[in-house]
Structure formats: structure tokens, C-alpha cells
Amino acid sequence: MPRSFLVKKYFRSKKPNYSEPESQSDLVLSERSPLAELQTGANSASIGLVWNLNLLPDLFAWASSPSPCTSPCPSLCPSPSGPLDLSPISRSGSGGEDEGRTSDPCSPEPTGHYCCPHCNRSYSAPAALSRHRLSHPPIPRPTFCCKHCPKQYGSLGALKMHIRSHTLPCVCPTCGKAFSRPWLLRGHMRTHTGERPFSCPHCERAFADRSNLRAHLQTHAQVKRYHCSACPRSFGRMSLLHKHSLAGCGPGP
DNA sequence: CTGGGGACGGGGCCC
DNA sequence: CGGGCCCCGTCCCCA
């Protein structure tokens, strides 16, 4: 039986955001039953990617866009002879459901060889186009939005990795618990086998999880990493410092 | 209240 | 580009 830690109870102590804008601060996953979702056919084939189509006009070289021709087509179809600068453009075309649509049927030949993706003006020289493009605002980075939650990512690979946390494709053959990644399942399997491959070099203890060994090593450390800003105490783990703060020694006024 | 262990999540990096 | 792994972290439980 899965333990109750599967349901997060405290959302206020979120870890600092590293890359996400975090406009939607917390995920609401409690209504999701991983096994139920797997059993109802929520496999990877039914997981759709929600693309930010507002950005597509900027991706004028997006040859395998999941929604081709949703933006002014000539801007997406540079001249075959035009050596346009593709550097700011993500060309990830592994969308899966749209494989093989690289030949765009709707690309009228622009009047010039070098076409502006923003206003469809064409120029005969790349320098002229580059000079013209400076008049437009900078191209925003493409964002990849999760269909199941408000999370956004800057790359398709990161989004695919995140979607696995919804689909949970790795299922424990012993207890049926599902995980997002195979190595998470392997770590879980150790709870069944009792394997503890991570040994403490200072004592006889061994752990099934490297993170738990790391936390254990803090008990041997002379200096605690996490210091209370309101008192001289230090703790080996941030969670202990957090509990200490919640217990009354809050940091600051 | 504190300290520590157990189990797991998720992003980033490397191959 | 995808998988494996690492690291950091969370959450819970118990002594």
C-alpha cells in the first residue's frame, strides 16, 4: 500500500523556482490517481502537447510544426536559396503525430529571396533583411505548455520529461505502484528486495537511496549546512531548519 | 521539539 | 534526442 506521502499536504514551502515563471504556483495533483489514469488509457499516444501558437509566427523555420500554416505561410517558408539565419529558432521536429509533413504545400514564392517572418516583406539581400528585422521586437523563446497542468518549459524534451510525471509509465510488478522514470522504479524496487547499495563510509549503515545516504552523512559532519538566521543553531537538513522555524524561531520579524 | 531514516519528485547534466 | 544518473529537495514517520 502506498504511503501517504504521495499526497502533498504542504505547498507553502516550495523550493525556489529555477526556470519556470511559476505564475501558477502549485500543482494540484491530488485528484489524479496514477493507476486509474493508466488504466483509463491515458497512454503516451493520447497525451497531447499544447503549443503556444502565438509564438509560431516567429518560428519561421519551423518546418514540422504540429499545426502547420496557422500563421502567415510565406513567413514560414523561406526561399530555398535563402541562407536565413536559423540560430534563434528551435527546430525540434519530433512531434510524433506530425511526422512526414516537412514538405509544406503552401509556400508561394516570395517576391524577394529573403522574407521577414513578421511582416512578410521580402528583400533581395540578407543584410537588408537583417537590418529590417531590427525594427521588430526581439523573438521570444518558444514555450511548451503541459496539457495537464499549467507548467511551461523551454524545450520539448523538458516537457516530455515532465509529461511522464502525469502518465507514470513505469509500474512496479510487485505492488503496482507507478513512477515517472525507470530509475525511480528501481529505487522503489529496493524497498521490496531490501537492497542497500549505498554504504556510509563512517559507520556500518547502508541505504537504498543515495539522497538518504547524503542526509545521513550530515549526521557525521561537524558543521551543519543550514543555519537559523534568528538564533545560532544549525541543522544538517533544510527540513529540520524549516521545522525549527515553524516551531517558533522564525527568521526575522 | 529535535534528530534521523525512508521513500519519492523533479530539474539538470552527461553520455 | 532520449535515457540514465546526480543532486537537491520534500514529505512522512518514529524515537
Side-chain angles (χ1 to χ4, degrees):
Chain A
M1 192 64 183
R3 293 174 54 177
S4 58
F5 57 69
L6 294 177
V7 180
K8 295 184 178 180
K9 289 185 176 179
Y10 303 104
F11 290 94
R12 45 187 296 237
S13 59
K14 291 285 291 183
K15 62 182 175 183
N17 58 335
Y18 296 112
S19 59
E20 298 90 29
E22 200 72 90
S23 58
Q24 322 280 341
S25 59
D26 295 317
L27 301 178
V28 181
L29 300 176
S30 58
E31 78 282 5
R32 168 179 59 85
S33 173
L35 294 178
E37 183 170 353
L38 286 172
Q39 290 162 359
T40 52
N43 52 25
S44 59
S46 67
I47 299 304
L49 308 183
V50 179
W51 301 75
N52 191 341
L53 295 181
N54 295 329
L55 301 177
L56 280 182
D58 296 315
L59 307 178
F60 58 91
W62 194 278
S64 58
S65 168
S67 302
C69 303
T70 56
S71 51
C73 240
S75 66
L76 289 172
C77 307
S79 167
S81 63
L84 290 181
D85 178 20
L86 303 179
S87 57
I89 295 169
S90 169
R91 305 194 65 176
S92 171
S94 59
E97 58 192 14
D98 214 50
E99 299 287 351
R101 287 203 220 164
T102 53
S103 60
D104 199 329
C106 50
S107 57
E109 186 70 22
T111 56
H113 285 296
Y114 304 99
C115 187
C116 176
H118 297 278
C119 63
N120 200 25
R121 287 187 184 179
S122 59
Y123 296 86
S124 57
L129 173 60
S130 298
R131 194 163 46 246
H132 162 75
R133 290 189 65 187
L134 292 178
S135 63
H136 293 297
I139 296 175
R141 291 183 57 199
T143 57
F144 300 86
C145 307
C146 178
K147 176 184 178 181
H148 306 275
C149 72
K151 286 260 186 177
Q152 299 180 5
Y153 295 87
S155 70
L156 183 60
L159 174 61
K160 284 182 175 179
M161 181 66 69
H162 164 74
I163 286 178
R164 296 185 68 136
S165 66
H166 294 297
T167 59
L168 300 176
C170 309
V171 182
C172 175
T174 302
C175 67
K177 184 166 168 50
F179 297 87
S180 59
R181 290 180 249 185
W183 60 268
L184 277 174
L185 173 59
R186 280 197 290 273
H188 165 77
M189 291 294 290
R190 296 193 192 108
T191 66
H192 297 304
T193 63
E195 181 189 8
R196 292 169 176 262
F198 303 101
S199 301
C200 176
H202 303 101
C203 66
E204 288 79 24
R205 289 201 67 104
F207 300 86
D209 188 285
R210 191 189 300 271
S211 292
N212 293 337
L213 170 61
R214 192 181 306 112
H216 167 76
L217 287 175
Q218 281 293 316
T219 66
H220 295 295
Q222 299 293 327
V223 180
K224 307 297 183 184
R225 291 178 58 186
Y226 303 98
H227 311 282
C228 179
S229 59
C231 75
R233 295 206 59 182
S234 297
F235 301 89
R237 296 176 1 187
M238 179 178 287
S239 59
L240 295 177
L241 172 59
H242 190 206
K243 280 198 293 187
H244 167 73
S245 299
L246 292 179
C249 193

